[in-house]
Amino acid sequence: MTASSLKPSRSLFRLPGFLSVMDRYIIGELILPFLFGVGAFSSLGVSVGALFELIRRVTESGLPLSIALQVLSLRFPEFIAYAFPMSTLLATLMTYSRLSSDSELIALKASGVSVVRLMVPALIVCLAVTGLTFAFNELIVPAANYRATITLARALDEEDPPFQENNILFQEFQSVKQEDGDRRDELTRLFYAREFDGQQMKALTILDFTQEGLSQIVSAKAAQWNTAQKTWDFSEGTIYVVSPDGAFRNIVKFDNQQLQLPRTPLDLASRRRDYNEMNIAQSMDYLQVLQQSGDTDKIRKLKVRIQQKYALPFVCVSFGLVGAALGASLERAGKATGFAISIVIIFSYYLLAVVSGSIAQVGTIPPVVGAWLPNIFGLVAAIWLIRRSSR
């Protein structure tokens, strides 16, 4: 058997003509196991992650079956996106192990095709699935998850108001140069409102540190954001001007007063989507709001999630190359063996992803390292397996 005798007749899909016969043949062999994996893994994921909970809601909370089915359909895109990397691993592992057990890889190697060259079709499929995964996670999954959350909450009368009702706290920081030349973030303003009804902040207290020492305290009954003039309109309040030594220098009472303060407290009080309900652009917008608040824990967590949104699609490349290299070295591995190996690799990857992500969220390692570390390990493992198969 030679490389020229391979024909892509078994493929049900037409592939680009610029690919070689060998490439089209192997890619054609990869497609059906990949589709099988998408169906199997997404069905398993939605059953564990959504179906059982919805059944409980139907039986215990009286959720209408039609709403449950609607929510289930809206949750499917998320699990399909999760299934893409896993299906890539399964497809490459099963396809290359079958080619090895049927001695087709031996024939190709005897024709002068290197192991690295044999990995090219797998890499092409991996890159295509990476783009597909990224598109799903950005264009479909966040909107579908958000719609599922709103639909379920409305059906159960558990929908939260579209804003934070109590205890709105905003801390504004400014980078200040120290005597040693280093820069450090220092608190310049603290904004607190006890209540928010969607339009007005109520029972406000603002501490202003923009000058040396505490320079101003504002206490007001209510405040509302003025969209036209981009200021806050305060009502029924008092301004306390404080000297650097702590003595009151002046006290001014007012019925109505406009103050030039950031809009950020209103942004913080507005209801935000969950991390899985935002795409990268929405997450970056929210990050800008959080950075003005100075909440380092939330900022770090969001930075890790943003990097994970970039890293997740590229795990398809790591999984695909690992599966291809490992499958090429398994001469008599059946489908059950390939599926079992895939489960072990997937579990190991996601365990490492959870651990590294958690370490990054506490600040031990940078967010980019915590998000991309599992992918790096996967690529290193793939390179090692390919070099081992080339010997």
Side-chain angles (χ1 to χ4, degrees):
M1 181 178 182
T2 63
S4 61
S5 66
L6 296 175
K7 297 184 180 298
S9 57
R10 298 177 62 175
S11 174
L12 301 179
F13 305 88
R14 293 184 62 85
L15 298 169
F18 61 83
L19 296 173
S20 69
V21 174
M22 181 192 73
D23 291 334
R24 281 181 282 165
Y25 174 74
I26 296 178
I27 292 174
E29 293 292 306
L30 288 166
I31 291 176
L32 289 181
F34 172 77
L35 295 178
F36 166 77
V38 171
F41 286 122
S42 60
S43 299
L44 180 62
V46 79
S47 297
V48 175
L51 182 59
F52 296 150
E53 174 64 18
L54 288 173
I55 292 175
R56 187 184 69 82
R57 295 277 191 171
V58 170
T59 55
E60 296 181 6
S61 304
L63 179 68
L65 184 60
S66 59
I67 299 297
L69 293 175
Q70 183 180 353
V71 172
L72 187 66
S73 64
L74 289 170
R75 292 296 306 277
F76 243 108
E78 179 183 12
F79 293 100
I80 291 175
Y82 283 138
F84 284 153
M86 296 184 282
S87 302
T88 304
L89 172 63
L90 179 65
T92 54
L93 183 59
M94 293 180 63
T95 298
Y96 278 82
S97 64
R98 188 201 66 76
L99 294 175
S100 179
S101 63
D102 290 350
S103 301
E104 294 184 39
L105 293 185
I106 296 176
L108 289 168
K109 291 177 183 178
S111 301
V113 181
S114 66
V115 173
V116 175
R117 179 63 183 84
L118 288 171
M119 300 295 121
V120 171
L123 181 60
I124 293 173
V125 171
C126 292
L127 292 175
V129 178
T130 296
L132 184 62
T133 305
F134 189 84
F136 250 74
N137 282 334
E138 284 297 292
L139 303 177
I140 300 176
V141 173
N145 283 347
Y146 182 67
R147 186 63 185 170
T149 300
I150 296 299
T151 301
L152 183 61
R154 287 176 177 173
L156 298 175
D157 294 326
E158 296 178 352
E159 187 177 9
D160 295 329
F163 50 84
Q164 181 180 341
E165 295 181 283
N166 303 303
N167 300 320
I168 293 87
L169 179 64
F170 164 64
Q171 302 173 79
E172 185 179 359
F173 290 82
Q174 180 178 338
S175 180
V176 178
K177 189 174 182 179
Q178 306 298 310
E179 294 181 358
D180 57 5
D182 294 337
R183 303 192 71 86
R184 184 177 66 185
D185 289 340
E186 292 187 355
L187 181 66
T188 56
R189 188 178 286 114
L190 189 147
F191 182 109
Y192 173 77
R194 184 175 299 170
E195 297 178 14
F196 180 50
D197 62 6
Q199 292 185 340
Q200 281 192 333
M201 301 280 185
K202 299 180 180 179
L204 297 103
T205 302
I206 296 146
L207 308 182
D208 192 337
F209 299 90
T210 52
Q211 299 179 16
E212 184 178 355
L214 180 61
S215 60
Q216 187 170 268
I217 300 174
V218 179
S219 177
K221 182 178 180 180
Q224 185 170 344
W225 176 254
N226 189 322
T227 305
Q229 300 184 24
K230 300 187 184 304
T231 60
W232 284 93
D233 294 336
F234 285 78
S235 59
E236 299 183 40
T238 306
I239 299 176
Y240 303 90
V241 181
V242 184
S243 301
D245 61 1
F248 285 106
R249 189 168 53 196
N250 196 9
I251 300 177
V252 179
K253 292 184 176 292
F254 61 84
D255 293 327
N256 295 284
Q257 181 72 36
Q258 285 190 333
L259 295 178
Q260 295 284 347
L261 296 175
R263 186 182 185 275
T264 311
L266 183 62
D267 295 332
L268 288 173
S270 300
R271 186 176 185 271
R272 287 286 172 177
R273 298 186 179 195
D274 189 57
Y275 296 108
N276 294 327
E277 298 169 358
M278 294 187 291
N279 57 27
I280 293 177
Q282 292 167 334
S283 300
M284 294 297 290
D285 290 340
Y286 187 37
L287 179 61
Q288 291 182 354
V289 174
L290 285 181
Q291 285 176 332
Q292 297 181 60
S293 71
D295 192 332
T296 55
D297 290 338
K298 287 186 177 181
I299 291 172
R300 214 166 27 230
K301 184 175 182 180
L302 184 56
K303 285 183 177 180
V304 173
R305 294 301 181 92
I306 290 173
Q307 289 299 324
Q308 287 175 338
K309 287 180 181 292
Y310 283 113
L312 178 63
F314 286 94
V315 74
C316 298
V317 177
S318 302
F319 275 4
L321 293 180
V322 167
L326 193 59
S329 62
L330 298 176
E331 296 184 357
R332 300 193 178 279
K335 294 182 178 180
T337 303
F339 193 83
I341 294 175
S342 300
I343 295 298
V344 172
I345 295 175
I346 291 166
F347 177 79
S348 301
Y349 168 82
Y350 283 108
L351 177 62
L352 179 59
V354 170
V355 172
S356 63
S358 300
I359 293 174
Q361 288 181 21
V362 298
T364 306
I365 57 177
V368 64
V369 175
W372 288 89
L373 189 61
N375 290 18
I376 295 172
F377 270 104
L379 286 175
V380 171
I383 293 172
W384 180 79
L385 288 170
I386 292 172
R387 292 185 63 181
R388 186 168 175 266
S389 299
S390 301
R391 295 174 184 174

